[in-house]
Amino acid sequence: MPYLRGSLVTKRHWIDDKEFVEMLSISQSLPGLNATNMAILVGEKLRGALGSVAAIIGICLPGAVIMYVVGIFYRSHGDHVWVTAALKGVAAAAVGLILSTVVGLSKKSLADKFDFVFMALTVIAVNRLHQSVPRTLVAVGLLAILFHRPRKARKESVGP
Amino acid sequence: MNQIPALVRVFAYLSLLTVGGGMAAFPEMKILTVEVHKWLTFPQLIHLYSVGQMAPGPNMMMIVPIGAWAGGVLGAIVVALAFFGPTAVLTFIVGRLWNKLEKWPWRRSIQQGLAPVSIGLLLAGCFTMAKGAIFGLETATIAVVVLLLLLNYKINPALLILVGAVIGVLSFTP
């Protein structure tokens, strides 16, 4: 993300800082990966639908080709002792990486202590109760959205 | 047997679950690709996901090899379209509407409410993966050290994954 911000905002001046934050918050609330959602939104802003198509192809193609080749290699050499040993280390490191993302996001976007309750409910529903992700998403999501429902500021003027 | 229709169904469905990140879909991905369709094994899924963290672009390009193994080049293309297409269209439409909804008070509620759930889904995906990836002292240490390093220093995560590979070779080769 810092890299994305650097090239979109600072280097290319395609969008400004406020737009970047706005687009990122949309990307995070919608299904889809942040990187691809950002690509869609920036592409749309610059060149409409064609811009979005170009942006998503641009952001996906290099990784897709590389992973295609990796897949072929892994299929033929994946059972080599050195490869399996390396992959055990890689997988463990990836777990650490995801956990760091969880901590980073929690620090940034969880303000209320009930937010941690919603987070825990989600984990328990998926991992312990083996509920499907969509069911959990709808149930806990609705609960959390209702909890954060808009509250009217009480500013009723009292008579004339 | 032709796996293409199943690939489209599964990955279009998984696509819609990726709220807050690809990891949110991981528990369902494990059930559908490993247990239901048997396109690959659980260790293979973990390996592809982890290696995919080093590839440029979105960190879920590991779906491409799954498609390739189940359905060849066509499978790879179909999976990529199914996984990125639906959410791309959704984001495109909502992106246009979203700015018009600036005054809508529920907009903020939706954002605030979905944040803890999406982080929870990420964590749930992480636990699912840890069940297969963390066994014994070495792997637990690698995960914890990577976590602490990333929280305290600005390091390229791909580099740490590479270091993980080296440590893996050093500790797990007989």
Side-chain angles (χ1 to χ4, degrees):
Chain A
M1 271 310 142
Y3 178 76
L4 198 60
R5 184 196 203 110
S7 55
L8 291 175
V9 181
T10 319
K11 218 165 106 197
R12 301 265 180 184
H13 300 289
W14 279 344
I15 50 175
D16 62 33
D17 241 350
K18 194 175 160 279
E19 284 172 312
F20 182 85
V21 173
E22 182 77 358
M23 285 177 177
L24 189 60
S25 84
I26 302 174
S27 299
Q28 284 167 338
S29 307
L30 289 176
L33 312 182
N34 291 339
T36 51
N37 283 352
M38 282 299 284
I40 295 287
L41 295 173
V42 175
E44 199 272 330
K45 199 221 152 203
L46 294 174
R47 289 284 185 283
L50 265 180
S52 289
V53 173
I56 196 166
I57 291 175
I59 205 161
C60 286
L61 201 56
V65 172
I66 289 173
M67 285 308 290
Y68 185 79
V69 175
V70 166
I72 293 171
F73 178 81
Y74 176 64
R75 190 113 224 220
S76 51
H77 299 282
D79 49 1
H80 190 280
V81 275
W82 278 37
V83 179
T84 48
L87 286 171
K88 282 174 187 165
V90 165
V95 170
L97 167 62
I98 305 161
L99 279 178
S100 80
T101 313
V102 170
V103 175
L105 284 173
S106 307
K107 274 187 192 161
K108 210 174 61 186
S109 34
L110 302 189
D112 199 289
K113 62 175 182 294
F114 278 98
D115 282 342
F116 289 91
V117 175
F118 295 131
M119 188 180 85
L121 278 178
T122 308
V123 174
I124 292 167
V126 175
N127 286 135
R128 288 268 150 250
L129 308 176
H130 302 287
Q131 294 299 309
S132 70
V133 172
R135 203 180 288 176
T136 309
L137 189 62
V138 170
V140 188
L142 275 181
L143 209 64
I145 291 170
L146 283 175
F147 176 80
H148 286 288
R149 70 191 170 277
R151 276 159 237 259
K152 286 208 181 89
R154 298 193 181 276
K155 269 198 281 178
E156 283 139 314
S157 51
V158 192
Chain B
M1 201 173 67
N2 186 7
Q3 297 287 336
I4 300 294
L7 284 171
V8 174
R9 258 200 328 273
V10 166
F11 283 92
Y13 167 71
L14 290 175
S15 162
L16 297 170
L17 306 184
T18 54
V19 179
M23 200 67 211
F26 195 80
E28 297 274 310
M29 187 183 279
K30 183 204 163 206
I31 293 169
L32 290 172
T33 62
V34 174
E35 290 161 20
V36 177
H37 291 284
K38 300 186 170 59
W39 287 320
L40 73 177
T41 65
F42 186 39
Q44 286 175 328
L45 181 68
I46 290 172
H47 292 160
L48 284 183
Y49 179 85
S50 319
V51 173
Q53 300 303 305
M54 288 188 283
N59 60 358
M60 291 299 282
M61 298 316 304
M62 41 76 72
I63 57 159
V64 168
I66 300 179
W69 293 356
V73 181
L74 183 63
I77 295 169
V78 153
V79 157
L81 290 177
F83 191 72
F84 293 108
T87 55
V89 172
L90 187 69
T91 304
F92 186 79
I93 296 166
V94 176
R96 293 197 152 179
L97 290 173
W98 200 247
N99 295 324
K100 291 183 191 138
L101 294 177
E102 195 155 10
K103 296 267 154 56
W104 191 45
W106 282 90
R107 195 182 107 156
R108 222 179 120 70
S109 307
I110 292 173
Q111 278 181 324
Q112 284 181 327
L114 283 183
V117 180
S118 64
I119 296 170
L121 288 177
L122 187 66
L123 195 55
C126 184
F127 285 151
T128 301
M129 186 168 151
K131 270 178 219 156
I134 307 295
F135 49 91
L137 195 62
E138 297 95 336
T139 44
T141 311
I142 295 173
V144 170
V145 170
V146 167
L147 169 66
L148 292 176
L149 284 174
L150 285 173
L151 289 181
N152 293 298
Y153 304 97
K154 268 198 143 176
I155 311 173
N156 185 346
L159 191 72
L160 288 180
I161 302 230
L162 219 54
V163 175
V166 175
I167 298 175
V169 171
L170 293 178
S171 19
F172 298 115
T173 38

